[in-house]
Structure formats: C-alpha cells, structure tokens
Amino acid sequence: MDSSQTVASRPFHPKEPFWLDPRFRALLFQALVLGAVALLAWYLMANTIANLQRQKIATGFAFLEKEAAFEIGESVISYSAADTYARALFVGALNTVKVAAIGIGLTVVLGTFIGIARLSSNWLIARLAAVYIEVMQDVPVLLQLFFWYALFYEMLPGPRQALNPMIGVYVCNRGLIVPSLNPHPAWRWMILAFTAAMVASWLLRAWARRRQDRTGRPFPVFRTSLVLVLGAPLVTWWAFGFPRAVTLPELQGFNFVGGKTLSPEFSALLLGLVLYTAAFVAEIVRAGIQAVGKGQREAAMSLGLRPAQVLRLVILPQALRVIIPPLTSQMLNLTKNSSLAVAIGYPDFVSVANTTINQTGQSIEGVALIMAVYLFFSLSTSAFMNWYNKKARLVER
Amino acid sequence: MKRLKVIFVVAFVLAWTLSASAGTLDEVKARGYLIAGVNGQVFGFSMPDEKGEWKGLDVDTARAIAAAIFGDASKIKFVPLTAVQRLPALQSKEVDVLCRNTTQTLLRETTNGLNFTHVNFYDGQGFMVPKKLGVKSAKELNGATVCVLPGTTTELNAADFFRKNNLQWKPVVIEQTPELNKAFFSGRCDVLTSDVSQLAGHRAVAPNPQDYIILPEVISKEPLAPVVRHGDDQWFDIVNWTVMALIQAEEFGITSKNVDAMLKSQDPEIQRFLGVTPGLGAALGLDDKWAYNIVKQVGNYGEIFERNVGPQTPLAMERGLNALWTKGGLMYAAPFR
C-alpha cells in the first residue's frame, strides 16, 4: 500500500489525539525501527568486544604496520617479505584491480560479440552462440577455474622443455614468458602522447558534433582519431630514435630470468572469469537489442542511414538503456568472483587478506578490510556505471 | 499475550548468555559428542579411508579425548578445516578442540587467544623435490618456484629461509591441499614445502612416490599439538592430560591388548593411572576409568604411531624425536599423581 495515499485519504483533524495522526505515526515507527537497528548494532558490537576481551584476542589495526614476513607470488608494485602487512594488502588489492579491470574489458567485448552472434540469421553461428551461453552459464565458475588451471599445468611442459614459438617467447607451465623492453625515457613520453591524442580526439568529436548540428556537414571523426591515437606515440618513438633494446628471457637454473611473465594463475583466472561472465553479458546484449522495436530500424533505414549508422545512432542508444543496469551487476559479479583466486593460487586481495588474518589472528579486522575494499570496488563501479547510464538514458523533452 | 512474548524474549536472551558462559566440558556432555577440528587431507594424520572412516594420528588423539569424556571413542564428529579456517573455527566455538597438525607459536598462544596442550608430534619443515631436478640440498634452490599452503608457519619459515640464504624464489599459494599437491606433482612448482611428516604423507599418495625426494635440511621446529581456547582451564586440563595419558600408557607398557590384565597390577602408579585407586579422573571432572577407557579403545601413543605413520605404513616414519624420553626421544609425560 502506498503510504502517501493513506496520508492523503486521512486528513488530519485537530480534534483527533496526536497519536492517531498518520504523519506522527509514520515518524514514530521510523524512529522506532532506527532505534532497534542501532540497539542491535550496539549489542553485537558490545558482545563482540566483550568476547574478544574474554578470550584475550588482540584487537585493532596496529598489525598493519608490522612486517608481513610472507612472500607474494606476483605484484604490480615492488614487494618483499620485509614489507608491512599494509603494503602486502595493497599488493593484493592491486592484483584484484588488475584482473577485474582487464576482465571487465574483455568480457564486454566478447559478450557483445556473442550476444550479436546469438541473433545472427546464420543458423550455425546462432546455434553455436546459444550452446556456448548454455554451457558457460550452467557450469559453476569455480569448476571452470579448476579446469583452466589444470589445463595450463597438465598440458604445458616444464621450463626446461619449454615451447619456443618465436625468438625470445617461451610457453611452459610457469606461464607465457616474453621479452621485456629495457627502461627508456621514450616510453613515458609515448604514454603521454597517447593520452594527449585521446583528449584531442574527444575534443574533436565534440567540435564535429557541434558543427554538424549547425551546418549539417559531417566530419570523419573516427578515422581522424585513429590516425591521432596511433600516430602521436609513433611520432614520439621516432623522435627518440626508435629505442628497441629488449631483455630476452633466459633459462637459468629452475626458471626463466629476464623478460615478462604472464603466470598460469593469472591467465587461468582471467580466462575463467571472462568466458563465464561473457555468457551472461551476451544474453543481456541480446535482450537489449531485441527490446528495440523493429519499426525503429525500418524507420531509420527509410531515412537513408547506412546500416552502421542505424546501429550506432538508433539501435544501440536505445538498447543501451536496457543493457547498462544488468551489465553493471555483471561487472560487479566478475569483480566479486575474482575472489575465487585463492583456489588456484593467484594472490588477489582475499588471498592476501586470508593469509594476513591467519598470521595475525585478527579475523574481525581482516574481514572488515575485505568488506571495505569490495564495497569500495562495487560502489565505484556502480557510481561510474550510473553516471554512464544517466548519459545514455532517453532524454525526455 | 504481549507480556508473554516479552518474557519469552528476555528468557531466551538470558538463557543464551548463560549457556555461552558454561564450560566446554558441560557443553560437550550436554551435546553427547565431541566436535574435533582436523586437517582431513593429510594421509597418516587425518584423512578418511576408502570406507569413509577417519584414520590418522590426529584423529586417534581426538578419539582419545572422546574416550576420556564419554568412555566411548566413537562419540565424536570430525570437522575438516583448511589452514586458514582452523583458528577462527576454534575461536568461534565451531569446534571444541583442534587436533590438526598446528604448530605451537608465541603469537598464537597470546594474541590469538588459544592454548596449546601437550605436543602429540614433533615435526620440522622440509622441502620435497622431483628426483630428476638433481637437487641435493635446499641451498641449491635459488630461483625455484615453491608450492606452499597459505596461513601456515610454513609460509613464514620458507620466506625466512630464502631471505636468510639470499635466494630468489616464487611462491604459489593454494588453499586446498589436494589442488596444491596436483600443482606440485604436475610440475607447476619445483618444490613443495611443508612439515616433513606432511610431505611424507603427500608423497605416499602421489602418482609415483619413488620419483620424489625430501631434502635433508629441516629448517624449523614444528611442535604440533592439540589446541583449545584460552580461559577454560578445566577443558585445557582434560585435553592436555589425555595426550599425556597416551604417552604415560606407553611408558607403563600398557596397551589396548593388555589393559584388562593391567587392572590387576600391584604397581600403585598403574593402579592410580587406571583408576583402580580412584581420584585422578574425578580431579579432572571425569570418570575415574578415563585413562583405562583411552587405552582400551584407542591404545597408547606407541600403538597410535605405529598404526598411522610408523615403519609398517606407507609413510614409513621413524620414531626419532617422537620416541619416549626413555628411548632418546622427547615424549615425556608429567607424573600422574
């Protein structure tokens, strides 16, 4: 029942005692509920603290400053066992961000592709996409992770028998090892040039749109941007005289030294998460496209728009309104599912936090940190997607 | 009606608070069985056999506690716990006692709010490698990839060892032992590190046990002992003296076979131990036949060792540090009087 109706249908009569006033009652009950929640929270907190004190378990976040003393398999920033728990946890959080960000990017591309394939008029392509979606959705993601991980270490040879498809590239059960570029100031300038080109393209697009609105003359934005984004870093590279010194990986003792390694743990986790989540994204994309009325396409075609323009200017903007909200929740799912990493040895945030909890015994603080970090990931993802959703929404005039 | 509800709620909260403060022994007795946290994945220490029956040294230690309390070693439920789960499970009362190859350390006894009872296995950390690598010493492991369980003292000792010897290494940390072992046996890691007893256990169930060797270096002391929560002295005493009773029985020469005959022994020490002369059991809050029940149903420490990890088993472990103190080992029980 809608409360505003109740309030409207029962106007306040001054003669009535105040406790029969619906507005007063609404306030009272809300205050009561709030009080009850606060009381419960207080009870739980007090109980926990009392229990911890009774069991003489230390509390607080002081442990974050202590030496972690355990090693982490892979990290984006430098880390050693002599660093603090805080840095160890940060390394774990960055590992989670790395797998989630790359995973989300690949999932959206693959999911869109399969979702469109599912609607293809080609019977075989549509069937294949349907089978893919059914299989991936029905097998639990943890099993898929085990499968991919086992595939890596069962199928690939050891480092001494590593496959060597190209000079300096090795594939073995330690991962994919490729040559790494030697440090050079050019790399930083190339990244700067790339960023500048991206900004310029964005400004160009805004200008082209304004000009088209004003004069009706279109401008080849995509092609110009492509030239800008690819050209600027290349020109920078040329300006520095094409630095291209690399370190080739080399088998030394047990393992390869030099080069960059893509570990089996990271690869298996990324592959498993992307293939699993893409099946859900595909269904969302399909639903989104099917939600746009057939008449829209026909009307757009009759205006003389080309098929690509129909998709970009008419179909997708409308489909996006249906796609974005469920897509957001799939992105969050992927991020959260990345915590299954502990099963296959990728040192994500939960894995590092688990070790921290166990080495320090600070379960409550550790779990609180896990909750806070995932809450932060989820809220920032959904904040960004809500902003995007607002932009993509139907503008009502 | 409303008043009744209020009374009911108050009574419930009171009962809850009161029951929370009752001793572990009372809780276990009221429940009718003991809940023991075990590893569940280490052959020889705790693992279900092909018939689904729990077998192992830790399992038998836990059964001895059940025998001491109920006079029935089968009144027990085993809860398998990973290294990461084990301490919180005990702290939060999911289990009454942890018999799970857990190393006694200072921080675990203080900041974690736990108490370790008498050691039931003296162990040390070692390294296992495939023979074909040709490694003879742990000092040669520079650059190695090492499979290790998370949240263990093992993880810390390994980091210390490689730091101390200035060696590079890369850990692969997987939570479930079977998955970790698969990664090692398929060659994802060069080295598997764990307590030597566990390495022997994992090797015993490996696809080709003869292809692996355990390196001679033992890089740490790992006294493994049952664990209970801080602050329940009676419960601590029961678990502590149960482990000691197993050792004492072996020292007296009392086995599951001859324990009935031993009841007629004229030795006053044995009479006290087996409850022929009453007093010891009552002091613990147990039946005076507690030690008799332990030995009758589970055996003494020597029997448990031989049955689960001794030379006749696939683990083929020597008694070593785990021999009685009278035979050059560290197994020593305080006097039963």
Side-chain angles (χ1 to χ4, degrees):
Chain A
M1 188 162 62
D2 192 355
S3 62
S4 62
Q5 267 178 3
T6 324
V7 176
S9 64
R10 289 207 40 163
F12 177 58
H13 299 293
K15 272 168 281 175
E16 255 181 344
F18 70 92
W19 59 84
L20 289 179
D21 177 359
R23 276 168 302 179
F24 169 76
R25 287 188 157 194
L27 275 176
L28 176 72
F29 284 120
Q30 288 186 43
L32 279 179
V33 169
L34 193 70
V37 170
L39 210 65
L40 186 71
W42 174 80
Y43 174 74
L44 288 175
M45 288 280 286
N47 207 2
T48 309
I49 292 169
N51 276 333
L52 289 174
Q53 272 171 354
R54 190 164 46 75
Q55 294 186 35
K56 309 247 184 334
I57 298 176
T59 51
F61 287 94
F63 69 94
L64 285 175
E65 290 305 312
K66 288 194 203 138
E67 181 190 89
F70 61 87
E71 203 47 77
I72 298 178
E74 52 190 294
S75 75
V76 182
I77 54 172
S78 72
Y79 170 82
S80 84
D83 284 319
T84 59
Y85 280 114
R87 190 166 178 95
L89 288 166
F90 188 58
V91 165
L94 285 182
N95 280 343
T96 294
V97 169
K98 181 170 123 189
V99 79
I102 300 176
I104 284 174
L106 292 177
T107 300
V108 170
V109 173
L110 182 68
T112 308
F113 180 74
I114 293 170
I116 293 171
R118 177 85 176 75
L119 291 173
S120 167
S121 53
N122 182 319
W123 186 85
L124 187 63
I125 291 177
R127 284 297 102 187
L128 278 177
V131 167
Y132 171 88
I133 291 168
E134 286 305 319
V135 170
M136 287 298 167
Q137 286 191 340
D138 291 348
V139 180
V141 64
L142 184 61
L143 284 184
Q144 296 193 29
L145 292 181
F146 281 141
F147 173 79
W148 294 116
Y149 189 45
L151 204 67
F152 277 108
Y153 64 65
E154 294 287 355
M155 300 264 297
L156 296 172
R160 290 179 189 187
Q161 295 83 35
L163 306 173
N164 190 197
M166 281 162 61
I167 294 175
V169 176
Y170 295 91
V171 183
C172 63
N173 61 16
R174 302 299 150 84
L176 171 71
I177 302 127
V178 296
S180 62
L181 293 162
N182 287 356
H184 194 282
W187 307 135
R188 199 184 310 155
W189 286 105
M190 280 173 71
I191 292 172
L192 271 176
F194 176 79
T195 317
M198 291 290 274
V199 173
S201 309
W202 186 71
L203 291 173
L204 180 75
R205 200 187 73 157
W207 169 80
R209 190 169 284 176
R210 267 203 314 276
R211 193 184 71 156
Q212 190 171 2
D213 285 349
R214 215 173 49 239
T215 65
R217 276 173 30 230
F219 184 84
V221 177
F222 182 73
R223 268 171 286 166
T224 326
S225 306
L226 198 68
V227 170
L228 264 178
V229 169
L230 291 180
L234 275 176
V235 170
T236 321
W237 194 29
W238 170 78
F240 278 92
F242 292 116
R244 55 189 178 281
V246 294
T247 309
L248 289 177
E250 221 181 309
L251 189 62
Q252 250 180 39
F254 296 99
N255 216 337
F256 287 94
V257 178
K260 285 253 179 289
T261 304
L262 188 65
S263 75
E265 287 79 23
F266 176 77
S267 315
L269 183 65
L270 186 67
L271 197 64
L273 290 177
V274 167
L275 293 182
Y276 175 75
T277 319
F280 291 89
V281 171
E283 287 291 78
I284 291 167
V285 169
R286 178 177 69 102
I289 292 176
Q290 284 181 329
V292 180
K294 205 164 72 174
Q296 294 285 320
R297 176 184 295 270
E298 292 166 353
M301 302 258 280
S302 69
L303 283 175
L305 293 180
R306 278 177 279 131
Q309 285 177 320
V310 172
L311 194 67
R312 191 166 58 86
L313 297 174
V314 178
I315 307 292
L316 272 186
Q318 298 185 70
L320 274 182
R321 287 188 289 124
V322 182
I323 291 173
I324 292 171
L327 184 67
T328 309
S329 86
Q330 286 307 322
M331 290 176 166
L332 298 181
N333 274 349
L334 186 139
T335 310
K336 285 181 282 186
N337 282 341
S338 73
S339 63
L340 294 170
V342 67
I344 57 167
Y346 178 71
D348 78 323
F349 184 73
V350 171
S351 168
V352 175
N354 265 345
T355 299
T356 304
I357 288 172
N358 223 262
Q359 302 299 5
T360 61
Q362 311 276 303
S363 318
I364 292 176
E365 291 80 358
V367 172
L369 278 177
I370 294 177
M371 283 163 62
V373 164
Y374 277 86
L375 191 67
F376 173 74
F377 288 158
S378 297
L379 287 182
S380 40
T381 310
S382 72
F384 174 78
M385 290 305 283
N386 282 342
W387 167 81
Y388 186 60
N389 191 29
K390 212 168 262 173
K391 264 185 58 121
R393 213 165 47 188
L394 190 65
V395 183
E396 291 179 6
R397 294 189 172 94
Chain B
M1 191 62 204
K2 245 183 198 162
R3 199 163 293 163
L4 208 67
K5 243 185 212 166
V6 171
I7 291 169
F8 178 75
V9 168
V10 168
F12 179 77
V13 169
L14 268 179
W16 193 31
T17 333
L18 285 178
S19 73
S21 60
T24 312
L25 178 64
D26 297 332
E27 284 174 34
V28 173
K29 276 186 171 163
R31 191 194 304 126
Y33 58 92
L34 175 76
I35 303 178
V38 293
N39 184 310
Q41 296 173 336
V42 184
F43 184 78
F45 284 79
S46 58
M47 200 187 231
D49 65 7
E50 53 283 3
K51 283 180 230 124
E53 201 179 320
W54 284 94
K55 288 276 163 66
L57 190 135
D58 282 336
V59 163
D60 283 345
T61 307
R63 286 209 174 103
I65 303 167
I69 297 168
F70 296 110
D72 182 352
S74 68
K75 289 197 170 170
I76 188 162
K77 190 179 137 200
F78 293 103
V79 179
L81 297 167
T82 66
V84 173
Q85 294 165 341
R86 59 188 168 176
L87 301 184
L90 181 64
Q91 287 164 345
S92 61
K93 293 193 165 191
E94 260 178 73
V95 297
D96 303 315
V97 62
L98 204 61
C99 292
R100 192 206 170 282
N101 41 39
T102 302
T103 306
Q104 179 173 22
T105 69
L106 188 147
L107 285 181
R108 283 177 180 165
E109 285 223 324
T110 52
T111 59
N112 286 16
L114 303 172
N115 275 342
F116 286 77
T117 65
H118 198 279
V119 173
N120 73 338
F121 198 89
Y122 289 98
D123 212 335
Q125 184 178 345
F127 297 99
M128 180 155 73
V129 294
K131 272 186 192 154
K132 63 171 194 281
L133 280 183
V135 174
K136 294 278 172 284
S137 154
K139 299 270 169 65
E140 300 167 28
L141 292 177
N142 192 21
T145 306
V146 181
C147 274
V148 59
L149 280 176
T152 54
T153 48
T154 312
E155 201 180 4
L156 303 180
N157 295 334
D160 283 356
F161 173 81
F162 285 104
R163 258 157 94 188
K164 198 159 61 188
N165 290 293
N166 211 3
L167 305 172
Q168 294 295 313
W169 71 302
K170 204 171 253 302
V172 173
V173 179
I174 301 179
E175 191 174 356
Q176 294 289 335
T177 311
E179 295 301 325
L180 186 79
N181 288 348
K182 256 188 246 166
F184 171 67
F185 290 121
S186 68
R188 169 64 186 103
C189 314
D190 305 302
V191 187
L192 179 63
T193 184
S194 188
D195 294 352
V196 173
S197 64
Q198 289 187 48
L199 291 178
H202 297 328
R203 183 169 62 174
V205 292
N208 301 303
Q210 67 282 2
D211 288 354
Y212 300 94
I213 54 163
I214 296 171
L215 298 177
E217 282 91 349
V218 174
I219 63 166
S220 70
K221 291 186 286 187
E222 308 285 340
L224 310 181
V227 200
V228 295
R229 285 178 291 273
H230 246 313
D232 189 341
D233 292 347
Q234 186 193 23
W235 185 244
F236 173 85
D237 289 340
I238 289 170
V239 178
N240 195 34
W241 284 90
T242 298
V243 179
M244 289 212 261
L246 292 169
I247 298 164
Q248 186 62 59
E250 186 183 8
E251 201 181 322
F252 280 144
I254 309 173
T255 66
S256 52
K257 307 272 185 319
N258 70 8
V259 63
D260 286 314
M262 282 290 190
L263 285 174
K264 297 181 193 79
S265 164
Q266 295 307 304
D267 186 336
E269 278 191 294
I270 293 181
Q271 286 179 343
R272 269 198 302 274
F273 181 73
L274 291 178
V276 178
T277 314
L280 294 184
L284 286 170
L286 300 174
D287 189 275
D288 271 325
K289 286 272 179 239
W290 70 288
Y292 167 85
N293 289 329
I294 292 173
V295 183
K296 175 77 183 165
Q297 299 190 16
V298 188
N300 65 35
Y301 184 77
E303 287 179 279
I304 292 176
F305 190 97
E306 297 304 325
R307 189 193 307 152
N308 294 304
V309 298
Q312 305 305 318
T313 67
L315 269 77
M317 298 186 75
E318 297 300 324
R319 282 297 287 269
L321 291 178
N322 294 299
L324 289 181
W325 64 288
T326 48
K327 291 176 182 159
L330 293 176
M331 283 297 168
Y332 182 101
F336 277 70
R337 61 187 324 134

